[in-house]
Amino acid sequence: MKLIGADILIQCLKEQDVDTVFGYPGGCVLDIYDAIYRDGSLRHILTAHEQGAAHAADGYARASGKTGVCIATSGPGATNLVTGIATAYMDSVPLVAITGNVTVSNLGRDSFQEVDIAGITMPITKHNYIVKDVKKLAATIREAFYIANAGRKGPVLIDIPKNIQTETCDFEVQKPSAYTPKPVSSDALAAVAQALQSAKRPLILAGGGCIGANASKNLFAFADKIQAPVCATLMGLGAFPASDAKFLGLIGMHGTDAAAKAFRRADTVIACGMRFSDRVAGDRVKFHEGKTIVQFDIDAAEIDKNVQTDLSVMADLNEIFKALLPLLAQADNKEWLKEVSAYKDYENSHFDASLPAYKILTALQKHTNAKTRIATDVGQHQMWTAQYYRFKTPRTFITSGGLGTMGFGMGAAIGACIGSGQKTVLVTGDGSFHMNLNELCSAVSQNLPLVILVMNNNTLGMVRQWQTLFYGKRYSQTTLNRKTDYLKLAEAFGAKGFLLDSPDKAEDVFKKAFQESGPVLIDCRIGTDDKVLPMIAPGKSFDAIITKI
């Protein structure tokens, strides 16, 4: 059958099992939006800003495991997607961004709202395209979805000039191409199996790749087989149940004291789907000292990039675990597990349970379940959530780990809520929330069951914390002094607002908030100088941990 380019796009999206898209219309995507209208089968979520659309598509992908899709017009519409695309790229999230552009004949002529979005996004996408022939449009869209999900997942951009949207060509429906993981090297597996059998104090570091590969069940079986405690990176939280006795919590700059102690004592470290970022590895030379480092990753570029490994396997994590488990005898590391359990007991016995953030987040946990999606922005509230909320299920922690994008939360929470189909919580700070609070109108328009906790301390808390520790308490431009009335703001947008002016009232406020069916905003008052502890000094090893100020 013959179709115009815009209709080909819609049919290809449906081929790829896309049922929801996020976007904002404009002159160079009018034909695409007309096709969406005429087709009528896609759910389109209109956001308040294109950046919100990109973050929403990202949150949708993280929460659902499907590919997120966002649409924007040319010029400023396209450039407004850039931060969201970069966020997805850094965290390996499958996303397809579709932009319109001026006609092919007007490209390169500084036409109205023209920009080279393919050139701009080249460093932050797995691949991108400018479609200049309508006959290549369907194949390009199919390839884009395949690339977004093949190997290490990530964003792909398709730029479709206006004339390509209206030109006609033949189209036939096709089934999506299935991704087949590469076989695992038997020699590499044999060497790893031998090293693991001789390990006395093994430690597993679970990264975001465990979630991206849907490898949590096999990760659990692997930890049980080698009898190893498990730590998680920020992106790996939820990959291993926090309720399990072997779980030691977050590792890295703001990780638990138990995780840091276990790392210092471990003789073999197995990194699963993680990239040894500076926030995890710190001093990368000392990180390796006295240990056998084993790395499992699907991306060859990550092997030995940040930390030199002794052994590595490059393949899909699920395939690695499936092939490795039969090669391993059941380990018996009772003394090692007893030792790390003592670390946890010591940490728990010395923990200050009066911290406002701890009280708020533990009260929150009582009103959620193991599958509730918890989104965050970036800052102290993000680290408190990672430290205190007990994630038990994959795809429940929606946060910007690599790029660290303030303003990510509102859009991501909207996407996660739609992607999961259930009540979702956003934990944000007053600094981050102000960046994209306009998306509250999108949540209200969709009547989403979204609970927003604004940790209101009237400061850019994480930056202030660094200024306290390393800059002689010179608080340059981190005190906000904003007069925002969050309850009136919620009401103005059409949401319900609650004041939580004392952490001791959290239980009562949450009980009321969670009874609401639509968006709710809670103004959570906390102290200006509340800190995220412990903390490893920037660039230092796990020996340089700060526990008190």
Side-chain angles (χ1 to χ4, degrees):
M1 58 181 166
K2 287 190 177 293
L3 295 176
I4 62 170
D7 289 332
I8 289 171
L9 170 63
I10 303 307
Q11 293 304 315
C12 285
L13 292 178
K14 291 159 68 173
E15 276 182 4
Q16 301 295 327
D17 196 31
V18 174
D19 55 20
T20 303
V21 298
F22 303 85
Y24 203 96
C28 282
V29 287
L30 283 176
D31 292 289
I32 292 173
Y33 273 84
D34 189 58
I36 291 173
Y37 182 92
R38 287 184 284 102
D39 177 79
S41 64
L42 290 180
R43 182 182 184 185
H44 181 278
I45 306 299
L46 177 65
T47 55
H49 190 282
E50 291 90 353
Q51 186 180 9
H55 291 325
D58 180 325
Y60 176 92
R62 296 186 201 227
S64 68
K66 298 175 67 175
T67 305
V69 179
C70 56
I71 302 173
T73 193
S74 62
T79 57
N80 282 342
L81 295 178
V82 170
T83 297
I85 293 170
T87 301
Y89 182 74
M90 289 290 284
D91 290 343
S92 304
V93 178
L95 184 147
V96 173
I98 298 162
T99 56
N101 214 327
V102 299
T103 61
V104 172
S105 61
N106 280 328
L107 289 173
R109 297 177 181 272
D110 293 334
S111 304
F112 177 68
Q113 290 194 332
E114 180 198 357
V115 74
D116 179 12
I117 192 61
I120 290 169
T121 58
M122 189 175 292
I124 55 167
T125 53
K126 285 187 72 177
H127 196 62
N128 60 30
Y129 304 86
I130 306 174
V131 183
K132 296 182 179 180
D133 183 348
V134 70
K135 296 183 181 67
K136 297 180 180 179
L137 178 59
T140 298
I141 296 165
R142 290 162 181 155
E143 187 173 272
F145 275 86
Y146 180 84
I147 290 173
N149 287 279
R152 182 177 182 172
K153 302 177 192 296
V156 179
L157 180 134
I158 312 170
D159 195 33
I160 309 175
K162 191 167 174 61
N163 64 298
I164 302 301
Q165 301 169 31
T166 57
E167 291 176 5
T168 303
C169 75
D170 291 323
F171 174 79
E172 291 184 9
V173 175
Q174 292 184 12
K175 290 184 178 179
S177 299
Y179 170 66
T180 303
K182 294 180 180 179
V184 186
S185 166
S186 57
D187 290 343
L189 283 176
V192 168
Q194 184 177 0
L196 293 180
Q197 295 291 190
S198 60
K200 303 298 183 185
R201 297 184 300 279
L203 176 67
I204 295 171
L205 306 185
C210 297
I211 296 171
N214 297 315
S216 292
K217 288 184 179 179
N218 283 322
L219 171 68
F220 189 90
F222 177 60
D224 188 62
K225 194 72 174 281
I226 68 172
Q227 286 291 284
V230 179
C231 304
T233 68
L234 187 67
M235 297 306 303
L237 288 170
F240 196 89
S243 54
D244 191 275
K246 290 189 290 296
F247 188 66
L248 301 181
L250 184 69
I251 191 159
M253 177 174 280
H254 293 292
T256 66
D257 186 54
K261 286 178 178 176
F263 178 83
R264 285 195 292 266
R265 286 277 294 144
D267 61 7
T268 304
V269 173
I270 309 101
C272 303
M274 59 160 288
R275 57 191 177 86
F276 294 110
S277 77
D278 57 313
R279 290 295 176 100
V280 170
D283 185 329
R284 296 186 179 101
V285 175
K286 287 189 175 182
F287 189 90
H288 187 280
E289 287 179 353
K291 304 180 193 313
T292 297
I293 303 290
V294 181
Q295 186 175 6
F296 300 156
D297 207 283
I298 199 167
D299 187 357
E302 290 300 336
I303 306 294
D304 296 331
K305 184 177 82 175
N306 289 326
V307 170
Q308 189 67 34
T309 61
D310 298 288
L311 296 166
S312 63
V313 183
M314 193 202 78
D316 178 88
L317 274 178
N318 262 328
E319 300 303 312
I320 293 173
F321 289 138
K322 288 176 185 176
L324 181 60
L325 284 169
L327 303 180
L328 299 170
Q330 179 62 50
D332 181 6
N333 290 320
K334 291 180 182 177
E335 290 304 313
W336 172 229
L337 292 178
K338 183 178 178 180
E339 180 180 336
V340 297
S341 179
Y343 299 158
K344 290 174 66 175
D345 291 342
Y346 178 85
E347 185 173 30
N348 292 335
S349 66
H350 287 74
F351 180 73
D352 183 2
S354 67
L355 293 169
Y358 175 77
K359 286 187 173 183
I360 291 169
L361 289 164
T362 51
L364 171 68
Q365 188 116 36
K366 296 176 184 177
H367 293 268
T368 59
N369 58 54
K371 294 185 178 180
T372 302
R373 270 60 175 185
I374 309 293
T376 76
D377 270 295
V378 172
Q380 287 180 314
H381 64 275
Q382 178 190 36
M383 294 299 113
W384 284 324
T385 304
Q387 290 176 338
Y388 305 147
Y389 193 90
R390 307 286 286 168
F391 292 96
K392 301 174 183 177
T393 311
R395 301 193 180 282
T396 52
F397 187 38
I398 315 296
T399 197
S400 171
L403 196 65
T405 307
M406 291 178 69
F408 169 79
M410 268 305 303
I414 289 169
C417 188
I418 292 169
S420 66
Q422 52 185 284
K423 192 178 285 286
T424 297
V425 177
L426 168 62
V427 183
T428 184
D430 47 347
S432 286
F433 184 64
H434 273 94
M435 288 194 171
N436 271 332
L437 60 80
N438 53 327
E439 292 303 341
L440 183 56
C441 72
S442 304
V444 170
S445 296
Q446 300 295 325
N447 194 33
L448 297 179
L450 181 60
V451 178
I452 303 160
L453 276 61
V454 180
M455 295 290 195
N456 182 5
N457 57 4
N458 196 39
T459 188
L460 302 178
M462 189 62 83
V463 187
R464 181 182 177 91
Q465 180 169 325
W466 281 50
Q467 288 172 334
T468 299
L469 291 169
F470 310 117
Y471 291 87
K473 298 185 179 181
R474 296 184 294 277
Y475 300 121
S476 176
Q477 304 304 313
T478 47
T479 301
L480 297 176
N481 283 327
R482 288 177 179 150
K483 304 300 180 183
T484 306
D485 186 322
Y486 291 100
L487 273 59
K488 289 182 179 178
L489 180 74
E491 182 182 356
F493 274 113
K496 187 79 173 179
F498 292 94
L499 175 64
L500 177 55
D501 56 5
S502 169
D504 295 328
K505 299 178 182 178
E507 180 65 33
D508 291 337
V509 172
F510 288 159
K511 185 176 181 179
K512 295 175 184 176
F514 276 81
Q515 289 174 347
E516 298 290 329
S517 59
V520 174
L521 187 152
I522 305 173
D523 179 0
C524 302
R525 304 288 176 85
I526 62 173
T528 298
D529 283 304
D530 290 354
K531 300 290 188 297
V532 176
L533 295 172
M535 175 181 177
I536 296 172
K540 301 296 183 181
S541 71
F542 285 93
D543 297 319
I545 192 164
I546 299 167
T547 58
K548 294 181 180 180
I549 295 180

